[in-house]
Amino acid sequence: MSTNQIKVDALVVGGGISGMQTALDLGDQGYKVAVVERKSSIGGKMIDLSKVFPTLDCCSCITTPKMSATAHHDNITLLTYSEIESINRDGNGFKVQATKKPRYVREDDCTGCRSCELVCPLEVSEDEHEFGRTSHRVVYVPFSTAVPQKALVDLDHCLFCGKCIQACPSDAIDFTQQPEPVEIETRSIVLATGFETTPINAKKEYGAGKLRNVISGMMMERLLAPTGPYGRVLRPSDGKMPASIAYVQCAGSRDQTLGVPYCSRVCCMYAIKQAMLLSGALPLAEITIYYMDIRTFGKGYEQFYQNAKAMGVEFLKGKVARITEDENQNPIVRVELIDEFGKTRVTERQHDLVVLSVGLLPGGNPQPKFGVPVGEDGFVQVPDYNVFPAVTSQPGIFVTGAAAGPMDIVDSIMMAGAAASSAASYLEAGNGSRKEAQRQPERSVEYA
Amino acid sequence: MTTNEEKKKRTEMLVEMRKERRETVQRAQELLKAQQSARKALERALTGGPHSVPQLAQAVNMPAHEALWHIAAMKKYGIVAEAGTDESGDYYLYRLVKEA
């Protein structure tokens, strides 16, 4: 099998918001960039979110144009559904071996018309974006704004009935596809591997993931998004519109028992944002946030918190000890409440739906492949964070977004600028396997 | 245009794939059978008029969360649509689209 070869100035690992922004910033400066994304579409976590805080702008409206700009940029090569296998230093640059996983659909031929999906007889749980709350067919386009808008086949559930082959107008289905090796020669690397969230089953005190009406903050994002599994905020046990919703803060951060002693920085704000959105979606619902401290550190964040209080969201200081459920699957929260005088009282309160404000964990460990050290928290270590926030200890390897530590969208986009700038300075100094920087003329692109 | 020769080749390839992945295909067939049976039961219940998820669950003797999963999937693929709420206002009702 022939190996595809790509020669670029920068390789961005991860196609979330920070990776895309880094690629766009470098591409706009004339550098050749490759973006490698392990999932079938770029967009990262942000494309699954409902709205951003504190402006309440639509996430999809911000992310989709950036996804499109990344895919159509003259200087950016996009490799989705691909994994990095190994990295070797080659002079001052790197030789990277990647594998493009088979979609069993030829990308060049697929038009994303979904004719195959509509005739496929079998549905399986949609776990990647919808937490198993709805289905997708065995051959499917991942979601309506996926980039690239190409189908893929879940071969582990395929009946090989051939209906998709008959339905495809461009003859794109190909069950004989094999993993495809790709060799990338690059002068620099930017890690944008993002984050994962604390698993919903991490804490047995909170039901260990077995209580149907105890969900994660990310799942609530999907319920609030118009493209979500129900198109409404319904509770998963029986489809009831919840009249009482509670948030449990620090349900996966600042918790030594989970090995996550740090603050995840975004949970307070996403809980407040969701509470405000729920007030709009379910005007009669009572919304309670159980918190230890509310941390509103960013521009406009404190005002956002005050607005939520003024809208009637109930903020109760106290640590939730346990969550159980009654015979109707209503979650019961046992909490030690602390009043303004510091007096405590243990109480139990029933809600229709409980949201765990789960924390942020590293999206992967880049140390074995990239040789970049990680800190005690598992995020990429940055030796001189105050001065060079995107520069790792490995020459030519940079980091951006939540790969470096928990951060929100605003900071991830800002850090993408820093990573692109650091990488450009590195390249401009003549570093990399090619002796002279082969810059393309600068171009102006409007993408947002 | 697909020639007869190409069609024959494809059929042979599919037969070969089914042989190679016998266990996967068998598992998928069982899943399909269960899914089709559940969908038929839900559709039958819905021919009697709009139902909420708990009503459907009771009608077809299925856990409510499973009924919700099927309804979400059927809504996604245009088989059912919302039809207002029940008397309590707590649950949405769903109807078959082809009946509309």
Side-chain angles (χ1 to χ4, degrees), chain A residues 128 155 237 245 298 330 356 404 413:
Chain A
E128 193 163 292
L155 220 59
S237 71
I245 303 163
N330 296 311
L356 300 182
I413 291 175

Side-chain angles (χ1 to χ4, degrees), chain A residues 10-11 13 87 94 96 186-191 370 396-399:
Chain A
L11 165 66
V13 184
I87 310 271
F94 304 88
V96 178
T186 180
R187 299 168 61 205
S188 63
I189 294 172
V190 182
L191 299 173
F370 297 88
I397 302 186
F398 305 88
V399 63

Side-chain angles (χ1 to χ4, degrees), chain A residues 3 68 104 108 111 119 183 211 213 267 295 297 328-329 348 354 359 420 437:
Chain A
T3 302
S68 186
Y104 305 104
D108 290 345
T111 60
V119 297
E183 191 175 283
L211 307 180
N213 293 324
C267 319
R295 297 184 169 180
F297 55 86
N328 295 319
Q329 295 184 290
E348 288 194 349
V354 167

Side-chain angles (χ1 to χ4, degrees), chain A residues 380-403:
Chain A
V380 172
Q381 212 169 46
V382 177
D384 202 348
Y385 192 76
N386 291 329
V387 184
F388 302 109
V391 179
T392 73
S393 58
Q394 290 290 329
I397 302 186
F398 305 88
V399 63
T400 183

Side-chain angles (χ1 to χ4, degrees), chain A residues 145-161:
Chain A
T145 55
V147 172
Q149 189 72 194
K150 308 284 179 188
L152 70 156
V153 182
D154 172 0
L155 220 59
D156 288 338
H157 291 96
C158 188
L159 294 153
F160 300 100
C161 63

Side-chain angles (χ1 to χ4, degrees), chain A residues 174-444:
Chain A
D174 179 5
F175 287 124
T176 64
Q177 263 188 358
Q178 295 292 321
E180 211 175 293
V182 183
E183 191 175 283
I184 305 164
E185 198 180 303
T186 180
R187 299 168 61 205
S188 63
I189 294 172
V190 182
L191 299 173
T193 46
F195 69 92
E196 292 299 331
T197 53
T198 322
I200 187 90
N201 59 2
K203 274 188 90 69
K204 68 176 189 324
E205 301 92 318
Y206 294 168
K210 289 178 183 155
L211 307 180
R212 293 200 190 282
N213 293 324
V214 176
I215 64 172
S216 69
M218 276 302 282
M219 192 184 154
M220 180 53 94
E221 289 290 337
R222 295 307 301 148
L223 296 187
L224 285 163
T227 52
Y230 311 138
R232 303 260 174 207
V233 179
L234 305 178
R235 68 178 198 170
S237 71
D238 60 359
K240 183 185 177 190
M241 280 179 273
S244 168
I245 303 163
Y247 280 81
V248 177
Q249 296 306 106
C250 301
S253 316
R254 303 170 72 195
D255 190 335
Q256 294 282 4
T257 64
L258 296 177
V260 187
Y262 53 85
C263 168
S264 290
R265 298 183 80 218
V266 296
C267 319
C268 287
M269 287 305 292
Y270 79 61
I272 295 169
K273 173 199 75 178
Q274 290 182 2
M276 289 175 93
L277 295 174
L278 284 166
S279 300
L282 301 165
L284 300 177
E286 288 174 3
I287 300 153
T288 306
I289 297 181
Y290 298 107
Y291 70 97
M292 294 205 284
D293 319 281
I294 292 290
R295 297 184 169 180
T296 54
F297 55 86
K299 187 178 178 183
Y301 290 7
E302 178 62 21
Q303 187 57 50
F304 194 68
Y305 169 41
Q306 296 304 332
N307 290 351
K309 284 207 277 194
M311 283 171 76
V313 176
E314 183 184 34
F315 288 82
L316 291 179
K317 190 171 174 68
K319 182 68 183 159
V320 172
R322 197 172 64 210
I323 307 172
T324 51
E325 65 180 12
D326 67 11
E327 66 282 6
N328 295 319
Q329 295 184 290
N330 296 311
I332 312 284
V333 172
R334 185 176 175 82
V335 57
E336 184 180 32
L337 295 175
I338 307 165
D339 70 15
E340 56 190 312
F341 306 108
K343 202 175 159 194
T344 62
R345 159 174 83 90
V346 176
T347 184
E348 288 194 349
R349 296 175 54 145
Q350 181 202 303
H351 300 279
D352 287 340
L353 186 63
V354 167
V355 184
L356 300 182
S357 289
V358 291
L360 270 52
L361 304 175
N365 183 358
Q367 192 156 14
K369 277 181 192 164
F370 297 88
V372 173
V374 295
E376 279 181 13
D377 56 9
F379 291 96
V380 172
Q381 212 169 46
V382 177
D384 202 348
Y385 192 76
N386 291 329
V387 184
F388 302 109
V391 179
T392 73
S393 58
Q394 290 290 329
I397 302 186
F398 305 88
V399 63
T400 183
M407 67 180 69
D408 61 19
I409 291 165
V410 176
D411 286 353
S412 293
I413 291 175
M414 270 203 295
M415 195 166 176
S421 175
S422 294
S425 300
Y426 175 84
L427 294 168
E428 206 58 26
N431 289 305
S433 56
R434 282 178 275 171
K435 291 292 177 200
E436 287 177 1
Q438 294 175 4
R439 291 197 53 193
Q440 306 292 316
E442 284 190 16
R443 58 195 289 277
S444 167

